[in-house]
Amino acid sequence: MTKEQQNVVRFAPSPTGPLHIGSVRTALFNFLYARKNSAKFILRLEDTDTERSKREFEEDILSGFEWLGIYYDELYKQSERTEIYQEYIKKLIDSGCAYVSEEPSGERQSVIRFKNPNKSIRFEDIIRGEVSFDTTELGDFVIAKSENEPLYNLAVVVDDKEMGVTHIIRGEDHISNTPRQILILEALGVERPFYAHIPMILAPDRSKMSKRYGTVSITEYQKQGFLPEAILNYLALLGWNPGGEKEVFKTEELIDLFDINRVQKGGAIFSTEKLRWFNSEHIKLLSKEERDTKLMNFLKSRKNDLPEGLYELIQESESLREAICERTEVFEDVIGLASEGEYDYLLSSPEIDPEKINWKDTPSEQTRSHLDKLIDLLESLDSYEKPEFIKNAVWEYATEKGRGEVLWPMRVALSGKEQSLDPFTIASVLGKLKTVERLKKAKKNI
Ligand code: GLU
């Protein structure tokens, strides 16, 4: 494919707020399209609104892209391109397609308006099909505040032309801008790109997806320990699917399957629960080493939110990491559970409620004798390194006497809780001394 024939797409965020999950979906569709079709992918920061555009938001976009693994081929900033816009504004004025308009009211004495030919515009949208607009009602719209202060519609058209953009894939909220942009590009004699307006992400009540419903900032998701590939997977499937039942895809697979023609027209409802499910599925796809590295990096960044000593315990025990990850959809859950006191029994000996220790109607006498036997079996066990070793040591006895009858008091003795990590993992983390000590203490308490 020669350079001239290469398709070009762009994602053009305005750095006026933190990178929003909805924008990431737009970026992702562009990215998938580009990688699938060997097209060029441009990231263009639309920062002509000097009051609202902020450096920190620009950095948020760039670091968000990096974290998500969305990479681009070229990066532009509109604020560095004023001269180019100036040239086009002059050209439009010279050809009579735009004019300096004296304003009787408003904050400025004059602005530059586009001379609307008042015609009907029709275009074929890849997602929405044929769209037509009567542009008469737009009047002579403003395209620049002055020769060196272009407004959105003009800057977009100029850049899309200069950058050779062939496919404009963007949010449906821009569909009403499209006729204005088509009028400008016709006035400039520029070829029309293809348009694909993707449906918005909606909150469950079908309102605009906002903070009110849940987390929208990508940095926040990163802080909560979401996996970037899970976010991309979920967002890709909001409004698009490759057909078939399969839902969990790695980014490479998404690229391979992506087809812009299959993006649906209807708005897509965002569900935090579904995103969490995708995250848990992607945790399962990781190798043990990858998972452990990611978990520990996350916990390190949140060490201050963990009870003292828990981080070190998790770092030391592979089986604890395993058990913790089994009940975790998102790494943040570990912090949540820990702060509710869920793992306190790993750090200090729990209070034991004598009412809770007997399995169903088992008499206390019988529970005491089970604890005695457990103490015996576990005192003579040499290695506590793996939960299986502990399980193997007590399994035969538990099976013979009834697993509930034996393992229930074991769990309560070790954790003080009716629901906890499995007793074998707890014993393995505690080691022999503490395990036996707790069993003895519980026996005394009955
Ligand atoms: N800068 C616009 C925005 O952030 C996008 C422009 C476009 O994609 O045409 O919404």
Side-chain angles (χ1 to χ4, degrees), residues 199-210:
M200 307 307 283
I201 295 187
L202 304 174
D205 63 358
R206 302 198 75 83
S207 65
K208 204 170 153 232
M209 179 64 194
S210 71

Side-chain angles (χ1 to χ4, degrees), residues 101-150:
S101 155
E102 305 305 327
E103 299 296 296
S105 60
E107 56 185 84
R108 290 180 169 259
Q109 285 185 330
S110 73
V111 292
I112 297 169
R113 288 183 180 273
F114 182 78
K115 195 160 176 9
N116 189 343
N118 296 330
K119 60 179 188 174
S120 157
I121 293 283
R122 226 182 259 275
F123 65 94
E124 192 63 29
D125 190 276
I126 295 173
I127 295 162
R128 305 177 55 95
E130 192 179 292
V131 181
S132 62
F133 272 98
D134 178 8
T135 63
T136 314
E137 63 201 53
L138 301 177
D140 286 357
F141 52 92
V142 182
I143 54 170
K145 291 189 199 163
S146 69
E147 272 190 21
N148 41 26
E149 293 169 290

Side-chain angles (χ1 to χ4, degrees), residues 123 125 128 131 133 170-179 197:
F123 65 94
D125 190 276
R128 305 177 55 95
V131 181
F133 272 98
R170 63 182 170 194
E172 200 181 67
D173 49 337
H174 283 291
I175 202 153
S176 60
N177 287 318
T178 308
H197 287 94

Side-chain angles (χ1 to χ4, degrees), residues 298-311:
F298 169 76
L299 293 177
K300 198 170 180 182
S301 72
R302 298 288 297 274
K303 213 170 155 184
N304 291 340
D305 298 329
L306 287 174
E308 173 119 27
L310 187 58
Y311 174 81

Side-chain angles (χ1 to χ4, degrees), residues 117-317:
N118 296 330
K119 60 179 188 174
S120 157
I121 293 283
R122 226 182 259 275
F123 65 94
E124 192 63 29
D125 190 276
I126 295 173
I127 295 162
R128 305 177 55 95
E130 192 179 292
V131 181
S132 62
F133 272 98
D134 178 8
T135 63
T136 314
E137 63 201 53
L138 301 177
D140 286 357
F141 52 92
V142 182
I143 54 170
K145 291 189 199 163
S146 69
E147 272 190 21
N148 41 26
E149 293 169 290
L151 290 179
Y152 163 70
N153 281 305
L154 178 93
V156 163
V157 172
V158 170
D159 280 344
D160 287 340
K161 173 195 182 286
E162 286 283 314
M163 295 168 192
V165 172
T166 56
H167 292 69
I168 295 183
I169 303 170
R170 63 182 170 194
E172 200 181 67
D173 49 337
H174 283 291
I175 202 153
S176 60
N177 287 318
T178 308
R180 289 184 183 83
Q181 292 170 15
I182 290 178
L183 288 178
I184 299 173
L185 58 87
E186 283 184 351
L188 291 167
V190 173
E191 201 183 322
R192 241 191 236 192
F194 293 102
Y195 292 98
H197 287 94
I198 57 181
M200 307 307 283
I201 295 187
L202 304 174
D205 63 358
R206 302 198 75 83
S207 65
K208 204 170 153 232
M209 179 64 194
S210 71
K211 265 195 250 175
R212 207 161 44 91
Y213 171 65
T215 307
V216 289
S217 144
I218 276 299
T219 319
E220 280 305 310
Y221 283 103
Q222 183 179 6
K223 282 195 195 136
Q224 290 171 14
F226 276 86
L227 299 177
E229 57 273 29
I231 294 183
L232 296 187
N233 188 170
Y234 176 56
L235 289 179
L237 266 59
L238 270 183
W240 167 74
N241 72 77
E245 294 293 302
K246 186 172 145 120
E247 286 187 289
V248 179
F249 298 101
K250 294 187 172 178
T251 309
E252 284 308 311
E253 293 175 293
L254 293 173
I255 292 174
D256 206 42
L257 294 163
F258 188 69
D259 179 358
I260 188 82
N261 296 299
R262 284 186 64 103
V263 174
Q264 290 145 19
K265 247 190 264 182
I269 307 272
F270 186 87
S271 153
T272 306
E273 287 70 40
K274 192 83 206 218
L275 172 59
R276 289 175 55 84
W277 177 81
F278 272 99
N279 201 70
S280 66
E281 291 298 306
H282 277 268
I283 290 181
K284 289 181 205 150
L285 290 184
L286 298 173
S287 71
K288 235 182 216 173
E289 293 72 34
E290 285 173 318
R291 188 202 63 196
D292 283 358
T293 312
K294 285 177 197 279
L295 173 69
M296 292 322 294
N297 281 343
F298 169 76
L299 293 177
K300 198 170 180 182
S301 72
R302 298 288 297 274
K303 213 170 155 184
N304 291 340
D305 298 329
L306 287 174
E308 173 119 27
L310 187 58
Y311 174 81
E312 287 74 14
L313 270 189
I314 299 174
Q315 193 172 35
E316 276 157 30
S317 167

